[in-house]
Amino acid sequence: MRHSLFASLQRGFPEDLNAPALVEPTASSISYGDLLRRSGGIAAALQSQGLRQGDRLLVQTGKSVEGLLLYLAAIRSGIVYVPLNPGYTAAEIDYFVRDAEPALFVDEARLAALASAPAAEFADPELAAESLAAILYTSGTTGRSKGAMLSQRNLASNAETLIGEWKFTGSDRLIHALPIFHVHGLFVATHCVLGSGASMLWLPGFDADAILAAMPDATVLMGVPTFYTRLLARPDLTPERTSSMRLFVSGSAPLSAETHRAWEGRTGHRILERYGMTETGMLASNPYEGARRAGSVGPPLPGVDIRIASADADGVGAIEVRGPNVTSGYWRNFEKTAESFTPDGFFRTGDLGRFDNDGYLWIVGRAKDLIISGGFNVYPAEVEDAIEALPGVAEVAVVGVPHPDFGEGVIAVIVPRPDQVVTKERVSAALRETLAAYKRPKRILIRDALPRNAMGKVEKAVLRKELAGLFA
Ligand code: MCA
Ligand code: AMP
């Protein structure tokens, strides 16, 4: 059996290749046959531009059908797909270009040129299971963005597991409203669909009206918790509207037990919460059949080992994982790779959790200094560096506190240099040049000092507690 990702997906394609794979509300649909031939044409175009197996393809485009076809072309030909958030600023992109050393950088214009390649049969090369399929940038537990290397086997094994566990079939239609530069929208959602011969309703992004309109013709929705809280605010979210839906999946950030219960109350469906990471794909999932526990991410997925290291008296400790889905390490970064694995080969997630008596995993916090805002990761250190570089700033602390829409909201507390004036407006304007919108503080506070402990270390926990109600 071949372990390449595309071959694995292709085994699940429908017998009738005229069946739809992608349906856009305002355009004609893309069949499995179209998908094969158009991605084949793009794969040939990439080859004729000199790209070879192992070369990196750095992609910064908005969400589009062409973007997905480019992804498929890359994974078919062994070209390493490296997606970037289209909201990144030029300053942010510069780093990824230097680090990934791409053979080709694809922006909107280049995507249009590639996607105009004539549809063609493409002879997929044999790809080693361990060869790279994608590199996704993430900051891991600390510091600067690092490229998580994901092999053909990492992605294929996780796709096969999820299709089985979540019972995807050719009759499913998934509402695809997530971005496609991250694991959730690019891998989890599209692989489940394509690898089972199902179809997806392709939306450009989150839009409550469009999602509610799609529900009567759909069976599955995948989203971050913000999707669910925003939909709950809609009076037309009813049992009737969701009656053809069989599965609501939530992940990327904690789903509150309250949202879980409210969703069941309004629709009769229990959201299936799962847990994953860029470096590992999906790790744990509440069961399709059997109890879905509000607040838990469920038992480990088949084939995935999860253990709790250095557990305290309550069984809470560091979550460590191992499996065919787990990255081999960070791109050209032996040091960070070595730090991220235990001597016996478990990956350190940076999350804290415990197992209950039935083997369900409960995530209780993070050992890493990370804010998750609307499902996007924000690294306080990166935002602090950007603010510290501004004139007049003596020091700054960035924390995340509860936010009704984004789960956590970013706050910056800034201390100006003596005799210098720092204004919120000027800081905001400057950050627009350096940081993508989702990383920028939703609130900036100017203070005389930061709380510090006896060792002189900034006490972020004190700030978090004090500012907890800021977005309430
Ligand atoms: C947009 N903004 C945000 C966010 N999104 N600010 C903070 N956090 C965000 N997530 C900014 C906008 O730029 C805008 O700024 C202002 O907030 C209001 O935007 P709004 O129109 O409300 O936003 P939206 O376009 O509706 O987007 C919200 C969203 C979106 C739908 C929640 O962020 C989203 O699709 N998130 C999903 C992320 C995701 O796919 N994560 C998976 C990662 P301004 O007013 O300044 O213009 S994969 C992962 O984590 C692992 C592997 C896993 O387990 O899945
Ligand atoms: P990323 O680095 O973008 O891949 O985000 C991975 C992190 O998101 C994990 O390490 C967790 O901290 C968090 N995460 C993902 N899914 C969940 C979930 N269901 N509940 C709580 N945290 C989650």
Side-chain angles (χ1 to χ4, degrees), residues 394-397 412-418 445-452 457-459 462-463 466-467:
E395 54 181 4
V396 57
V413 184
I414 300 176
V415 179
R417 289 181 192 285
L445 308 175
I446 310 286
R447 294 270 174 96
D448 293 336
L450 297 175
R452 289 183 184 279
K457 196 171 177 305
V458 175
E459 292 184 299
V462 171
L463 280 177
E466 182 207 325
L467 303 172

Side-chain angles (χ1 to χ4, degrees), residues 138 252-254 273-274 276-278 297 351 363 366 368 372 377:
T138 174
S252 309
E273 185 174 11
R274 63 30 170 208
M277 275 187 90
T278 301
V297 294
D351 293 311
I363 297 172
R366 297 175 205 132
K368 52 193 172 190
I372 306 184
N377 288 3

Side-chain angles (χ1 to χ4, degrees), residues 232 255-271 292-295 362:
L232 275 168
L255 180 78
S256 73
E258 188 192 328
T259 302
H260 191 280
R261 283 192 277 270
W263 191 266
E264 185 177 18
R266 287 283 294 285
T267 68
H269 293 275
R270 290 178 75 80
I271 296 174
R292 296 182 195 163
R293 298 197 172 158
W362 296 73

Side-chain angles (χ1 to χ4, degrees), residues 240-264:
E240 295 71 43
R241 188 166 289 273
T242 56
S243 64
S244 75
M245 298 291 291
R246 69 169 183 88
L247 181 61
F248 292 94
V249 179
S250 177
S252 309
L255 180 78
S256 73
E258 188 192 328
T259 302
H260 191 280
R261 283 192 277 270
W263 191 266
E264 185 177 18

Side-chain angles (χ1 to χ4, degrees), residues 386 390-391 424-435 440:
L390 302 176
K424 299 172 198 179
E425 294 71 26
R426 249 187 283 160
V427 172
S428 295
L431 294 183
R432 251 174 254 144
E433 305 299 314
T434 53
L435 296 177
R440 292 177 214 145

Side-chain angles (χ1 to χ4, degrees), residues 55-72:
D55 283 350
R56 275 82 54 214
L57 185 69
L58 196 63
V59 181
Q60 192 193 27
T61 61
K63 182 176 179 180
S64 66
V65 170
E66 291 74 18
L68 183 67
L69 294 172
L70 176 67
Y71 165 65
L72 297 175

